Amino acid sequence: MEPQAPPATHEVTNQVPPLEHYNLYESDATLTAAVEREGAAWHAQALARDGATLGAPEVIALAGAANRHEPELSTFSPRGERIDTLEFHPSWHRLLALLRQEGLHALPFDTPRTGAMAARCAGYFLHAQLESGSLCPLTMTFASIPVLQREAALFAQLADKLYAREHDPSDAPLAHKRSMMVGMGMTEKQGGSDVRTNQTRASAPGAASGRGAEYRLVGHKWFFSAPQCDAHLVLARTSADAPISCFYVPRYAPDGTRNAIRIQRLKDKLGNRSNASSEVEFVDAYGVMIGDEGRGVPTIIEMANYTRLDCVIGSAGLMRAALVQAIHHARHRVAFSRRLVDQPLMRNVLADLSLETEAATVLFMRLARAFDAHLAAARTGASESGVERAWRRIVTPAAKFWVCKRALEFTGEAMEVWGGNGYVEEGPMARFYREAPVNSIWEGSGNVMCLDVLRALERDPQGAHALFDEWRADAQDAPTLAAALDALQASLAAPAEHREAGARRLTQQLVLCAQAVLMLRSSPDAHANAFIATRLADAGAGLGGGRVYGTLPASFDQRAIIADAFRT
């Protein structure tokens, strides 16, 4: 007898098709409007082309592959030679090539024009929706440029390779490479964020010392991100009691030999698994002092200001990616005889999530304008306005605190829309969730950011007053926002000890007011009103927060908010 096929156990139905073949840029009305508003319309065509590329299934697949096939460290060759090499899956290099070809590592510096920072931030936001780990070395390379530009002789040797739009994955002396990446090494075991406790020592082997001189470094770094980079900016002391200085430490020494940077191990991280983070030791490693001796922290903080903005954008990108996946799922999945998107409570959740991403997007794009103004002032020698300086110095760390914190809860809520399918690794939601904490931790944790906000407010009272005056003008017809601003300024008038203890609440109030102002200026009235009603209604009483997503009043048109959020 012919063997009979086993009976079918079930028919596969009501499963959601993968989200692909969509344009990440053109489907985002908030982003396209912000690109126009912030002076980057000249880059819109390139963003639309890139948005289509990132929505292609073969490109989407790169993200999963890069995170399944993690980087591998080889410390020794088969002959016992110390080599400290890393091997990455081809998908990783393809992701970096995509980032680099769009100029996201250097756009405002190699193409200095109005809106260049906004153009770059918009592009970075698109790629943040694809994969997070590959953003790290690109961000650090980008942020190193304004620091290295101040070292004329060194920068003249590096500029072509820093600006190059071709990713060169080879591990070779810089003279033999077409492009380069730069990382940073700040934290040590004993200090973490408190880099002033660093112990790594740098000594000058010759008669010359100070800025531009050669040094030899001995010490360690507890977190040394992207150890495969062609150079790192590293903090060290020139003596046990000297203030910290900053050094350019290349992967290869000038004589072509591998620099004495020993990779001890790669970190086994919760997320960001496609990217290599390491512990290293410097064993008489070659370096060049950049910036003035003893001014290492202010020197590298210039780099950190840019990386913090990228943390905001990276978290906003994660939120956007999770949102469109949730909306796509709800538009296709049927439960209890209705599509999820047609069920009032699910619509409430999705609309609330949509408002959160909209507020994050208008915020980072407004910060991009402030950074554009800063770069323009540096190029022309003009003075930076107090308002733009305040957006950059005060609101950036506040945004880094708030948006990165919101990403944690946001990705969990979006995963829940998928149900059990969201909790398994075959789909993207689990990866988004694991990625969410990192931007809140790297480049200054939440408490560090809130203390930075207080310091910025205290150091630039003129800028803070100009900022609040601007916001009050926007709040004239928005009594809830006006009350929130009153509460914020009352918090700022409290004794210093109370301000520090309440720095998280103060920072939350500040960034929510900033987002509300921006939404009043640029979002549909219904969106702005819903955001203010649900984020600031209790701020006048010094409350705020303490709410889950999906608590919008029924009076708002939640269906329209969702439709505006993801246009297909």
Side-chain angles (χ1 to χ4, degrees):
M1 291 180 61
E2 291 287 332
Q4 292 185 344
T9 60
H10 65 286
E11 181 183 358
V12 177
T13 63
N14 197 27
Q15 287 290 307
V16 176
L19 176 58
E20 55 191 24
H21 296 298
Y22 74 106
N23 191 307
L24 278 66
Y25 179 69
E26 293 180 345
S27 61
D28 189 341
T30 300
L31 182 63
T32 55
V35 165
E36 178 82 24
R37 185 171 60 252
E38 306 302 348
W42 52 269
H43 198 59
Q45 186 173 356
L47 290 168
R49 172 186 44 76
D50 195 27
T53 297
L54 297 175
E58 63 273 16
V59 174
I60 293 171
L62 296 173
N67 282 271
R68 286 193 304 274
H69 304 282
E70 298 176 25
E72 296 181 359
L73 169 66
S74 296
T75 51
F76 293 93
S77 75
R79 296 182 298 277
E81 303 159 311
R82 187 79 192 222
I83 55 174
D84 293 294
T85 61
L86 289 97
E87 183 178 352
F88 291 85
H89 190 264
S91 57
W92 165 264
H93 293 300
R94 179 66 180 132
L95 288 166
L96 283 171
L98 287 170
L99 286 158
R100 193 125 193 168
Q101 74 184 26
E102 296 303 320
L104 302 181
H105 63 295
L107 184 62
F109 305 113
D110 67 9
T111 310
R113 59 178 293 183
T114 300
M117 189 69 177
R120 186 263 174 185
C121 289
Y124 188 95
F125 177 63
L126 296 180
H127 282 258
Q129 297 171 49
L130 179 64
E131 203 279 322
S132 296
S134 53
L135 301 177
C136 178
L138 182 117
T139 281
M140 292 188 295
T141 301
F142 171 73
S144 75
I145 292 175
V147 177
L148 294 171
Q149 282 178 330
R150 297 180 182 178
E151 313 299 318
L154 178 61
F155 190 72
Q157 303 171 34
L158 306 178
D160 288 348
K161 292 180 172 62
L162 281 169
Y163 289 161
R165 295 205 172 191
E166 180 182 1
H167 171 59
D168 186 343
S170 62
D171 183 6
L174 197 55
H176 303 297
K177 296 194 63 171
R178 300 179 298 278
S179 64
M180 69 179 298
M181 297 191 299
V182 179
M184 66 165 69
M186 293 194 290
T187 60
E188 298 182 4
K189 292 183 178 76
Q190 70 282 350
S193 296
D194 186 5
V195 297
R196 287 177 173 80
T197 66
N198 282 10
Q199 299 172 353
T200 297
R201 294 280 295 274
S203 57
S209 63
R211 190 169 191 163
E214 296 182 4
Y215 283 77
R216 298 290 175 174
L217 278 70
V218 176
H220 84 283
K221 294 299 169 187
W222 185 230
F223 279 91
F224 196 73
S225 279
Q228 77 279 10
C229 285
D230 300 284
H232 287 77
L233 301 190
V234 172
L235 297 179
R237 300 179 185 276
T238 54
S239 66
D241 57 354
I244 289 172
S245 299
C246 187
F247 298 85
Y248 171 85
V249 181
R251 184 155 169 78
Y252 284 82
D255 63 3
T257 60
R258 192 183 297 280
N259 205 358
I261 306 166
R262 305 291 187 242
I263 303 176
Q264 301 304 299
R265 61 171 177 168
L266 299 185
K267 297 286 192 181
D268 185 9
K269 297 171 295 185
L270 168 68
N272 212 248
R273 302 189 72 88
S274 68
N275 178 43
S277 301
S278 64
E279 301 167 24
V280 301
E281 291 183 347
F282 307 115
V283 189
D284 211 29
Y286 169 87
V288 175
M289 183 181 289
I290 62 173
D292 294 329
E293 185 168 359
R295 297 287 295 166
V297 174
T299 297
I300 210 165
I301 281 297
E302 173 75 6
M303 185 176 181
N305 287 336
Y306 287 93
T307 59
R308 287 171 178 175
L309 175 60
D310 274 7
C311 285
V312 177
I313 306 169
S315 289
L318 268 180
M319 291 159 64
R320 173 70 187 176
L323 173 71
V324 297
Q325 290 286 353
I327 293 176
H328 174 75
H329 184 89
R331 285 172 174 169
H332 290 82
R333 180 77 167 176
V334 173
F336 309 109
S337 303
R338 286 189 295 175
R339 292 186 308 159
L340 291 177
V341 77
D342 293 326
Q343 301 188 24
L345 186 53
M346 180 58 77
R347 278 204 308 271
N348 197 322
V349 172
L350 294 173
D352 211 356
L353 294 171
S354 298
L355 292 176
E356 194 75 25
T357 59
E358 183 174 350
T361 301
V362 296
L363 179 60
F364 79 70
M365 287 297 286
R366 178 60 183 87
L367 293 175
R369 188 203 309 175
F371 277 80
D372 259 327
H374 174 67
L375 293 174
R379 287 194 303 269
T380 63
S383 296
E384 186 179 9
S385 77
V387 167
E388 296 303 328
R389 186 176 64 246
W391 275 101
R392 183 172 57 85
R393 289 183 175 177
I394 298 170
V395 184
T396 298
K400 199 272 189 187
F401 165 74
W402 182 246
V403 175
C404 297
K405 283 275 186 246
R406 296 299 279 165
L408 277 76
E409 182 183 355
F410 190 105
T411 52
E413 193 71 66
M415 179 192 294
E416 191 173 326
V417 174
W418 273 42
N421 283 352
Y423 200 67
V424 297
E425 295 288 352
E426 283 90 343
M429 302 301 264
R431 174 164 53 85
F432 295 159
Y433 187 69
R434 285 187 283 102
E435 291 288 0
V438 69
N439 286 323
S440 198
I441 296 170
W442 283 359
E443 308 306 319
S445 61
N447 283 357
V448 171
M449 290 300 95
C450 293
L451 294 174
D452 276 0
V453 170
L454 292 184
R455 278 191 289 269
L457 287 164
E458 291 163 0
R459 291 175 181 175
D460 189 10
Q462 183 180 1
H465 284 304
L467 185 68
F468 294 143
D469 287 346
E470 179 188 77
W471 291 359
R472 284 205 171 276
D474 288 286
Q476 287 180 355
D477 298 320
T480 301
L481 174 57
L485 287 169
D486 288 341
L488 172 60
Q489 294 195 283
S491 298
L492 291 172
E497 184 178 346
H498 292 180
R499 288 200 303 272
E500 181 171 338
R504 284 192 171 215
R505 181 175 298 281
L506 188 152
T507 300
Q508 174 181 312
Q509 289 175 311
L510 187 147
V511 73
L512 286 173
C513 286
Q515 289 179 317
V517 164
L518 295 174
M519 291 188 71
L520 279 173
R521 292 177 186 174
S522 60
S523 296
D525 289 345
H527 297 206
N529 293 337
F531 182 86
I532 291 171
T534 51
R535 272 68 171 180
L536 292 177
D538 296 324
L543 302 174
R547 58 182 294 276
V548 296
Y549 290 110
T551 56
L552 294 178
S555 56
F556 294 110
D557 188 349
Q558 296 158 15
R559 194 186 297 274
I561 292 172
I562 297 167
D564 289 342
F566 184 32
R567 296 180 174 176
T568 54

